[in-house]
Amino acid sequence: MVDRSFADPELAALYETLNPWQAGDDFCLDFVMSAGSVLDVGCGTGRLLRRARAQGHRGRLVGLDPAAAMLVLARHNAPRVEWVLGDLLTRRWHGEFDLVVMTGHAFQVLVSDEEVRLALRAVRAALADGGRFVFETRNPAARAWETWTPERGYEITGPDGAPVLVWHEVEQPVLGDRVTFTETFEGGPWKRPVISRTTLRFLDACTLSQFLGEAGLRVTEQYGDWGRGPCTPASPEIITVARPAL
């Protein structure tokens, strides 16, 4: 089921304001520009592939997302990219892509073992020989969710110029590797607050490697931040580059 923050057109229109282009986007764009064919899983508004095309990428670019409201924006802003509504089980690709990428912590929406296994098998099937799978997930040891509190709310400006207050609140207690939280939007076009509820899974590097190995993928690079620093308990991210196992 798609979260309300992505399925609602008015909330989808806020996505790029809430998530401005950052170092992680530059990191992934470098991989995209060096690949002849790219599948962006959980592409959202299509910002990454839109930027790649604008910077001269002439190969095949495919964006995949289950949220129709996000793809409406993607298609409008980048008609020369192939946009597909659905997830990795919607369409089967076989060895068609030099690169599969998941950005914006999209990997964390795979909350069950079965979802992770099915998605990774589909990624492996989609990759050409020698292809790469690039994705990131928040390092559970850094406990990022502890900062997702109403007191850290912030204000943005909506497309119509009206202010929108946004805040997060984690449902307690947090048990295991799954974190459920709400994202609340107040102001803008809404007469009352709008709430989106999300569950994310925080997997450690060892567990990630095990799942990747089961799917026929091997880790070739792994970093703890977008500057390519090592993974440590204090690292905010687990950024993984994997290839098909030989």
Side-chain angles (χ1 to χ4, degrees):
M1 185 175 180
V2 178
D3 293 341
R4 186 174 184 180
S5 58
F6 306 134
D8 185 316
E10 290 180 323
L11 295 179
L14 298 175
Y15 179 81
E16 293 192 19
T17 301
L18 290 167
N19 302 276
W21 188 274
Q22 297 181 12
D25 299 291
D26 286 323
F27 179 95
C28 292
L29 182 61
D30 286 342
F31 282 93
V32 172
M33 296 304 293
S34 65
S37 53
V38 181
L39 173 62
D40 183 359
V41 180
C43 65
T45 58
R47 176 175 59 190
L48 179 64
L49 300 186
R50 183 173 78 236
R51 179 74 66 93
R53 191 64 90 201
Q55 292 191 6
H57 194 291
R58 297 185 178 181
R60 185 184 182 195
L61 299 177
V62 180
L64 174 69
D65 201 280
M70 301 290 268
L71 286 189
V72 167
L73 297 171
R75 290 190 178 105
H76 174 76
N77 292 322
R80 295 187 300 122
V81 174
E82 181 181 344
W83 304 109
V84 179
L85 179 64
D87 57 26
L88 280 164
L89 303 184
T90 301
R91 182 183 296 186
R92 300 293 184 182
W93 287 286
H94 298 283
E96 298 178 39
F97 297 99
D98 301 316
L99 174 69
V100 176
V101 63
M102 295 181 75
T103 66
H105 303 104
F107 185 84
Q108 290 188 251
V109 305
L110 305 171
V111 296
S112 72
D113 287 359
E114 185 67 6
E115 286 176 303
V116 172
R117 290 190 173 105
L118 289 172
L120 291 179
R121 288 173 194 157
V123 167
R124 173 62 186 88
L127 283 173
D129 292 341
R132 292 184 289 189
F133 175 39
V134 179
F135 69 101
E136 90 282 357
T137 181
R138 297 176 183 88
N139 182 2
R143 303 179 68 84
W145 63 86
E146 292 183 348
T147 68
W148 299 349
T149 63
E151 294 76 19
R152 293 174 180 261
Y154 55 94
E155 187 175 278
I156 63 171
T157 301
D160 60 356
V164 177
L165 182 63
V166 184
W167 71 89
H168 302 84
E169 187 165 8
V170 175
E171 296 183 6
Q172 301 291 344
V174 173
L175 301 174
D177 56 19
R178 294 165 180 80
V179 176
T180 299
F181 65 96
T182 56
E183 185 174 25
T184 302
F185 304 83
E186 185 176 54
W190 305 289
K191 294 182 179 179
R192 58 179 60 88
V194 175
I195 300 173
S196 177
R197 186 172 183 268
T198 303
T199 298
L200 300 178
R201 190 173 186 183
F202 288 72
L203 293 175
D204 59 36
C206 180
T207 306
L208 284 172
S209 294
Q210 291 173 354
F211 276 122
L212 288 163
E214 288 179 18
L217 295 161
R218 60 185 176 87
V219 176
T220 58
E221 303 170 52
Q222 203 159 59
Y223 307 107
D225 58 56
W226 298 113
R228 296 179 183 256
C231 281
T232 70
S235 299
E237 307 282 351
I238 302 174
I239 303 160
T240 302
V241 180
R243 291 184 182 269
L246 299 178

